[in-house]
């Protein structure tokens, strides 16, 4: 295989979609130009650029401190960039408040799971649904008042999501009582409740056993086939990423070091050096 491309500054790639089953619309789903973020003078992300089409899967990998979670936080509006722009279906999101972004079709998960610990798995998913169905939250969750029919509808949809994630039998347990792996599944179900066109996954297999990671990736593959949503997945688990993601970006010290297919990335000496410290050593994948 040929080596993955080394990404020069100010290059915006529009990768070929041949053989992926993804059409290239005139306006990309997501367009990122020159995204830069500094924390107390330290550059966490520098001049990051991306074009992502409808239904495309992108994996973002890199060593600790490479800027991966910073990228997810910027794309989801949790932090604001010091430079650059983010456009979603042509709309500039760069200065949009974080609470408005999910309504546009972007959902995310967190590296450190952020469920409501006192709510059940079902209630956690239903809370997310109130973004698109905004009746009184207490009425929605606890069946008070005139919203009872809507409550029933939301409950059924939330149960269907938990069923799809394989945890419907845990619907009425407090999220704090669930195993770590099941909490991950609840968090993904909650993100799916937002009906996203773009799903941002921040280390979805972190803390899982290898068998749990494999099962979760199988489930994400199935969800992608069924929903055709685009996915950006940040991860450090190289075998998982290379199995799930047909296209990869490699970050190193906040800079886009390389992009390409899993095979191209695996054979790239710069990527090996970024992960291992030296270019000739084996085991990067």
């Amino acid at each position: 295989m040929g080596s993955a491309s080394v990404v020069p500054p100010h290059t915006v790639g529009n990768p070929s979609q041949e053989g992926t089953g993804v059409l290239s619309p005139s306006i990309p789903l997501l367009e990122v130009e020159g995204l830069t973020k500094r924390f107390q003078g330290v550059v966490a992300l520098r001049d990051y650029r991306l074009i992502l089409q409808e239904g495309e899967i992108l994996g973002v990998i890199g060593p600790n401190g490479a800027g991966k979670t910073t990228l997810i936080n910027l794309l989801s509006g949790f932090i604001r960039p010091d430079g650059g722009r983010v456009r979603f279906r042509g709309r500039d999101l760069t200065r949009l408040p974080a609470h408005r972004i999910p309504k546009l079709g972007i959902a995310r998960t967190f590296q450190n799971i952020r469920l409501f610990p006192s709510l059940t798995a079902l209630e956690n998913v239903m809370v997310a649904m109130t973004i698109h169905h905004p009746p009184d939250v207490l009425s929605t969750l606890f069946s008070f008042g005139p919203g009872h029919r809507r409550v029933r509808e939301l409950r059924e949809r939330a149960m269907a999501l938990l069923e799809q994630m394989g945890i419907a039998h845990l619907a009425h347990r407090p999220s704090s009582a669930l195993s770590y792996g099941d909490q991950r599944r609840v968090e993904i179900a909650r993100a799916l409740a937002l009906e996203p066109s773009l799903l941002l996954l921040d280390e979805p297999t972190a803390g899982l056993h290898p068998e749990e990671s494999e099962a979760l990736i199988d489930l994400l593959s199935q969800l992608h086939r069924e929903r055709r949503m685009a996915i950006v997945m940040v991860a450090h688990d190289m075998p998982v990423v290379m199995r799930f993601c047909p296209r990869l970006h490699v970050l190193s010290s906040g800079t886009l070091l390389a992009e390409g297919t899993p095979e191209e990335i695996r054979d790239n000496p710069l990527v090996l050096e970024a992960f291992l410290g030296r270019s000739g050593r084996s085991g990067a994948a």
Side-chain angles (χ1 to χ4, degrees):
M1 287 288 182
S3 296
S5 59
V6 177
V7 181
H10 311 297
T11 296
V12 180
N14 190 355
S16 169
Q17 300 297 313
E18 183 179 354
T20 66
V22 179
L23 298 178
S24 296
S26 57
I27 298 178
L29 178 69
L30 182 70
E31 188 172 9
V32 181
E33 299 177 349
L35 204 58
T36 298
K37 182 64 182 179
R38 300 177 183 86
F39 294 105
Q40 297 180 342
V42 177
V43 179
L45 196 70
R46 184 194 305 275
D47 198 27
Y48 179 80
R49 295 169 184 255
L50 167 67
I51 290 179
L52 191 75
Q53 304 293 358
E54 298 271 0
E56 190 177 3
I57 298 176
L58 174 73
V60 181
I61 61 175
N64 291 335
K68 303 185 299 296
T69 292
T70 297
L71 173 61
I72 295 293
N73 286 337
L74 288 166
L75 295 181
S76 57
F78 275 71
I79 58 177
R80 290 191 174 182
D82 295 310
R85 293 200 175 277
V86 177
R87 293 185 178 87
F88 184 70
R89 289 183 170 146
R91 177 172 179 172
D92 193 337
L93 307 185
T94 311
R95 301 297 169 187
L96 206 63
H99 71 272
R100 293 181 58 188
I101 289 179
K103 296 181 181 181
L104 301 178
I106 300 176
R108 69 163 295 176
T109 65
F110 294 86
Q111 182 175 354
N112 299 313
I113 298 172
R114 297 188 186 183
L115 298 175
F116 297 105
S118 62
L119 298 185
T120 66
L122 180 66
E123 290 165 348
N124 267 279
V125 177
M126 290 180 69
V127 165
M129 288 179 171
T130 62
I131 286 182
H132 293 301
H133 306 273
D136 182 278
V137 173
L138 289 178
S139 172
T140 300
L141 286 180
F142 303 112
S143 304
F144 296 157
H148 185 69
R149 178 181 296 178
R150 182 172 291 181
V151 169
R152 243 187 356 257
E153 293 172 353
L154 295 185
R155 192 180 302 274
E156 289 172 0
R157 289 179 52 215
M159 280 297 297
L161 284 171
L162 292 176
E163 180 73 36
Q164 195 169 26
M165 297 301 299
I167 51 173
H169 61 292
L170 303 174
H172 301 294
R173 292 190 188 180
S175 63
S176 58
L178 301 179
S179 70
Y180 192 79
D182 289 333
Q183 287 182 20
R184 284 277 180 204
R185 289 178 178 243
V186 173
E187 190 179 43
I188 293 172
R190 186 174 64 179
L192 294 175
L194 300 174
E195 303 170 5
S197 301
L198 172 60
L199 179 62
L200 306 173
L201 299 172
D202 191 359
E203 300 279 7
T205 61
L208 302 185
H209 298 299
E211 297 81 4
E212 291 178 310
S213 296
E214 290 292 322
L216 184 58
I217 291 302
D218 287 340
L219 183 56
L220 289 172
S221 297
Q222 177 185 338
L223 290 170
H224 177 257
R225 288 192 299 270
E226 293 173 354
R227 295 172 175 261
R228 298 306 300 163
M229 59 191 169
I231 298 175
V232 175
M233 184 171 82
V234 160
H236 68 278
D237 190 333
M238 295 281 282
V240 165
V241 175
M242 290 192 168
R243 176 185 162 200
F244 181 64
C245 304
R247 177 185 172 206
L248 299 176
H249 275 189
V250 182
L251 293 179
S252 179
S253 300
T255 300
L256 181 56
L257 177 68
E259 63 179 320
T261 66
E263 293 79 12
E264 291 168 342
I265 294 299
R266 183 183 293 118
D267 296 335
N268 189 297
L270 292 178
V271 175
L272 296 176
E273 186 170 7
F275 273 91
L276 301 175
R278 292 186 62 82
S279 60
R281 294 163 60 179
S282 61

